[in-house]
Amino acid sequence: MNTKELTKRIDTLDYLRGFALLGIILVNIIPLLSVKLPVPGTTDASYLRFLYLLVEGRFYTIFTFLFGVGFYIFISRANAKGKNGYVLFLRRILVLFFFGLVHVQFHPGEALTVYAICGLIILPFYKANKLVNLVFGTAMLVVLGFFAEKIFMVVPLMLLGIAAGQYQVFEQILNWKKTSIFTCLIFVVSVAGLIYQYQYAPFVFGNGSDENFLETQRFLHIGITIGPIVSAFYVGLLILLLNFPIVRQVLSPLKSYGRMALTNYVSQTILILGLGQVLNLVDHLSYIQSLVLCMAIYTIQLTFSTIWLRYFRFGPLEWVWRMLTYFEWMPIRKAAD
């Protein structure tokens, strides 16, 4: 693979990470600010339906899958440089776990600790046959998907990420024909799944004390089960769009956002809770207002990421993570031209 192709591959992963973060915050803000269930028939109720049809269980899936891809690339590159990729990865997830221990104090539903623990589980699969990882990961995802618990789906999604790395999927993304066929096929399956889920959309969304609770849970569980299919369509569509230079240029802030994925994931929580306290938004926010707040946070983070990476090589947390992984000081500022 030549340097240009390698750069495009890495850029694509950054775009996808950034894209995943855009969806994750839309879901995370709801429990963090105790957003109340909307009144039926309102704009808020329509947005809630949209959220659980097209966002919930879709973007965390992409983020988790990309962790598996990153796992494979990290160890492979370390080994290629003559270093012990396993030892470095163990340090890497240990640091991630400690980041998560701090983060979970403020965001109980955070993913960093889960990713670190699951990183240990998937470590033996690095050397497994790529077909084994593909088949085993897919089978696990299908079976565990029926339980509709997101935490059960983390390991199989990571295994599929490893398989994608082994099959060099992202080295072949410039193959327009293959990507188009995959995206079209998965689009048909996604539409069928969403139509099926929508049939069970309750008119009144209920919580634990409501008679609508079971109806709501069935709707949400179907959404989580079909989530990986819809996520695959999103990934395929974005990759297709990134083949156009104008799209890559317009979405370039998304690439910077994804390059600083750890920093931005954690700072999403900081901004949500900080703005929630300062503006007295906790338990006083509607669903549509939560969307507006997310858009404000998008603006802040996308702008910050773009400006930061003009002058620095890594995001702030990425820099700390990298130094603690390699046990060496690394300059963060870019060299002057």
Side-chain angles (χ1 to χ4, degrees):
M1 188 192 309
N2 61 43
T3 304
K4 187 176 180 182
E5 288 176 332
L6 181 61
T7 302
K8 285 184 178 179
R9 174 175 64 87
I10 295 173
D11 285 352
T12 299
L13 293 175
D14 288 333
Y15 279 111
L16 288 172
R17 288 190 188 97
F19 177 64
L21 284 171
L22 292 182
I24 286 171
I25 190 176
L26 295 176
V27 176
N28 285 347
I29 195 173
I30 305 302
L32 285 173
L33 294 184
S34 302
V35 179
K36 294 182 179 180
L37 288 171
V39 176
T42 61
T43 305
D44 282 304
S46 297
Y47 173 63
L48 175 58
R49 235 175 239 102
F50 161 82
L51 201 60
Y52 286 105
L53 272 171
L54 300 176
V55 180
E56 168 64 31
R58 282 63 168 140
F59 289 86
Y60 96 92
T61 301
I62 299 173
F63 207 57
T64 306
F65 168 79
L66 292 174
F67 183 92
V69 177
F71 160 91
Y72 180 80
I73 292 175
F74 178 85
I75 295 181
S76 297
R77 287 183 174 177
N79 290 340
K81 293 175 182 176
K83 299 179 179 180
N84 190 322
Y86 290 106
V87 171
L88 288 175
F89 182 75
L90 286 173
R91 284 189 209 153
R92 185 174 174 84
I93 60 172
L94 181 62
V95 176
L96 186 68
F97 182 75
F98 282 112
F99 280 151
L101 283 182
V102 176
H103 190 220
V104 77
Q105 305 304 314
F106 305 94
H107 183 188
E110 72 92 42
L112 302 182
T113 49
V114 175
Y115 281 8
I117 293 169
C118 291
L120 279 177
I121 297 173
I122 65 172
L123 191 56
F125 290 91
Y126 173 76
K127 284 193 173 180
N129 181 277
K130 58 186 178 182
L131 182 60
V132 170
N133 283 335
L134 177 62
V135 173
F136 190 47
T138 302
M140 282 182 66
L141 189 61
V142 170
V143 173
L144 296 177
F146 283 105
F147 290 94
E149 290 290 342
K150 290 192 287 187
I151 195 168
F152 292 161
M153 301 165 76
V154 172
V155 168
L157 285 167
M158 289 182 178
L159 286 181
L160 290 176
I162 295 174
Q166 292 173 315
Y167 276 101
Q168 299 186 322
V169 170
F170 289 95
E171 284 87 340
Q172 302 177 43
I173 57 174
L174 297 181
N175 188 318
W176 176 270
K177 184 177 179 181
K178 286 183 179 179
T179 308
S180 298
I181 292 173
F182 168 80
T183 306
C184 289
L185 289 175
I186 210 72
F187 171 72
V188 173
V189 181
S190 297
V191 170
L194 289 171
I195 290 173
Y196 176 72
Q197 182 190 1
Y198 189 74
Q199 292 176 3
Y200 293 94
F203 180 71
V204 179
F205 282 85
N207 54 32
S209 60
D210 269 321
E211 58 183 18
N212 305 101
F213 175 73
L214 292 178
E215 239 180 49
T216 301
Q217 287 303 302
R218 180 171 58 179
F219 173 68
L220 299 182
H221 286 174
I222 294 172
I224 293 172
T225 300
I226 67 170
I229 300 172
V230 182
S231 301
F233 167 67
Y234 289 168
V235 170
L237 181 61
L238 182 57
I239 289 174
L240 282 178
L241 292 174
L242 290 174
N243 278 277
F244 297 98
I246 184 64
V247 174
R248 289 199 300 273
Q249 185 177 356
V250 170
L251 296 182
S252 60
L254 199 60
K255 181 176 69 173
S256 300
Y257 197 44
R259 280 186 62 191
M260 292 172 49
L262 178 60
T263 295
N264 284 316
Y265 177 69
V266 173
S267 62
Q268 282 181 354
T269 302
I270 295 172
L271 287 169
I272 290 171
L273 294 179
L275 291 171
Q277 290 297 320
V278 171
L279 302 177
N280 191 29
L281 300 176
V282 181
D283 206 30
H284 295 105
L285 208 63
S286 71
Y287 268 77
I288 288 294
Q289 288 169 339
S290 77
L291 173 61
V292 173
L293 184 58
C294 285
M295 293 176 72
I297 293 174
Y298 289 160
T299 303
I300 294 169
Q301 290 192 311
L302 287 165
T303 303
F304 174 77
S305 299
T306 301
I307 295 174
W308 179 273
L309 290 176
R310 286 180 185 170
Y311 303 100
F312 301 98
R313 299 167 61 205
F314 318 106
L317 287 184
E318 285 77 12
W319 178 54
V320 175
W321 194 16
R322 193 175 182 88
M323 288 194 297
L324 292 177
T325 296
Y326 290 95
F327 283 169
E328 61 183 65
W329 173 264
M330 294 186 178
I332 189 172
R333 288 191 65 88
K334 287 184 176 179
D337 294 332

